[in-house]
Amino acid sequence: MTALAKILVEPRSIVLPGDVLAEGDDVEPSSIYIERVGKKLIATITGIVVVEDLGDKKRVSIIPLEGAYIPRPGDIVIGLVKDIGITHWEVDIASPYKGVLTVQEVLDRPFNPATDSLKKYLDVGDYIVAKVVAFDRARDPLLTIKGEGLGRISEGAIVEIKPSRVPRVIGRKGSMVNMLMKETGCSILVGQNGRILVKCPNKDLEEVVILSIKKIEAEAHTSGLTERVRAFIREERSRRGV
């Protein structure tokens, strides 16, 4: 680091819009929630600061504490079918933007709306695991359910959290969600839009996982959370005898 680079906030601290996070050419922003003004990096949202040491420079990012889900191409989301058109479905993806799922992104054969109905494949009220194919804010995000692990959800429970808490539920390199699965034996799929699919061997374990996820959401800004959640899971499993 050169004398020009300076981190002005403590890592994992909470910052507000307008707070100066760092100053210097050797500090790079890694978040849409940080604006560079001259040599200063300034927060544009309330969130938790993350500082990464890259050797010859540092990278600063912010995990937002509030805010709606904004789609990005490649995101895996859990959507709820809200309406059916002639050749597409409208999907609620817990975003200001509604998802559009065309018949081409569902079927591998020609579709004739005069003789066939989309309702046979996906109906209003169905949950799906989908991938965001394209989104540019000029039009609603396009989705697909073609791909491994994508498609209609036929079992399990859906948990909803604030989209800003998703990184905390996943954890660094998947540490938190992997711990949840290891400690409970459940399958957990975290959508980037704040919806989480939980599949467990029984209802008791399902409830333990849901309570654990809600605990992570509520305490996302605190340190030592992984071990507290692990202890919580073990205590709940012992209490319930599962």
Side-chain angles (χ1 to χ4, degrees):
M1 297 291 294
T2 69
L4 293 176
K6 185 185 299 183
I7 304 295
L8 302 176
V9 293
E10 289 293 324
R12 308 300 303 177
S13 63
I14 296 176
V15 295
L16 302 174
D19 285 352
V20 180
L21 310 177
E23 187 172 359
D25 296 324
D26 293 344
V27 184
E28 66 178 48
S30 178
S31 172
I32 60 173
Y33 308 115
I34 298 175
E35 179 181 12
R36 182 181 285 279
V37 178
K39 294 183 179 296
K40 296 180 179 180
L41 300 185
I42 299 175
T44 62
I45 195 171
T46 301
I48 300 171
V49 177
V50 177
V51 180
E52 299 175 81
D53 192 340
L54 304 180
D56 60 340
K57 63 173 62 177
K58 291 187 183 293
R59 177 185 294 151
V60 180
S61 58
I62 295 177
I63 300 173
L65 292 180
E66 302 296 340
Y69 167 67
I70 304 301
R72 295 175 300 178
D75 278 359
I76 300 298
V77 298
I78 295 176
L80 175 63
V81 177
K82 298 293 287 185
D83 198 8
I84 303 176
I86 297 176
T87 59
H88 75 280
W89 295 263
E90 290 186 3
V91 183
D92 169 15
I93 56 171
S95 170
Y97 307 92
K98 66 176 180 291
V100 176
L101 179 65
T102 65
V103 67
Q104 292 86 359
E105 296 298 338
V106 176
L107 303 180
D108 289 318
R109 60 171 180 78
F111 174 79
N112 184 349
T115 59
D116 209 349
S117 170
L118 294 186
K119 200 171 184 178
K120 292 196 314 184
Y121 308 102
L122 289 172
D123 202 355
V124 172
D126 285 346
Y127 277 99
I128 61 172
V129 179
K131 179 186 286 188
V132 178
V133 177
F135 176 64
D136 59 10
R137 300 196 189 218
R139 58 178 182 172
D140 288 321
L142 301 179
L143 309 177
T144 185
I145 60 170
K146 288 183 175 179
E148 185 176 354
L150 307 181
R152 187 171 68 86
I153 296 172
S154 58
E155 59 179 340
I158 304 294
V159 186
E160 297 210 24
I161 64 171
K162 293 179 180 179
S164 59
R165 303 301 198 268
V166 165
R168 203 67 169 105
V169 173
I170 295 173
R172 187 181 295 275
K173 297 182 179 179
S175 58
M176 183 71 85
V177 71
N178 286 332
M179 182 275 290
L180 290 174
M181 291 190 287
K182 182 178 179 181
E183 291 289 333
T184 62
C186 297
S187 169
I188 303 172
L189 187 152
V190 183
Q192 291 296 324
N193 60 332
R195 290 193 181 129
I196 302 170
L197 174 61
V198 177
K199 298 180 184 179
C200 295
N202 57 60
K203 278 292 182 182
D204 276 319
L205 285 172
E206 182 180 284
E207 289 178 7
V208 171
V209 171
I210 292 172
L211 288 172
S212 300
I213 290 171
K214 289 299 184 179
K215 181 178 179 67
I216 296 167
E217 179 184 29
E219 301 177 21
H221 60 288
T222 64
S223 59
L225 184 56
T226 301
E227 290 309 312
R228 288 205 309 281
V229 173
R230 191 196 309 275
F232 174 80
I233 291 171
R234 293 178 178 178
E235 181 180 332
E236 283 294 311
R237 290 196 63 172
S238 175
R239 186 174 68 82
R240 297 165 185 257
V242 295

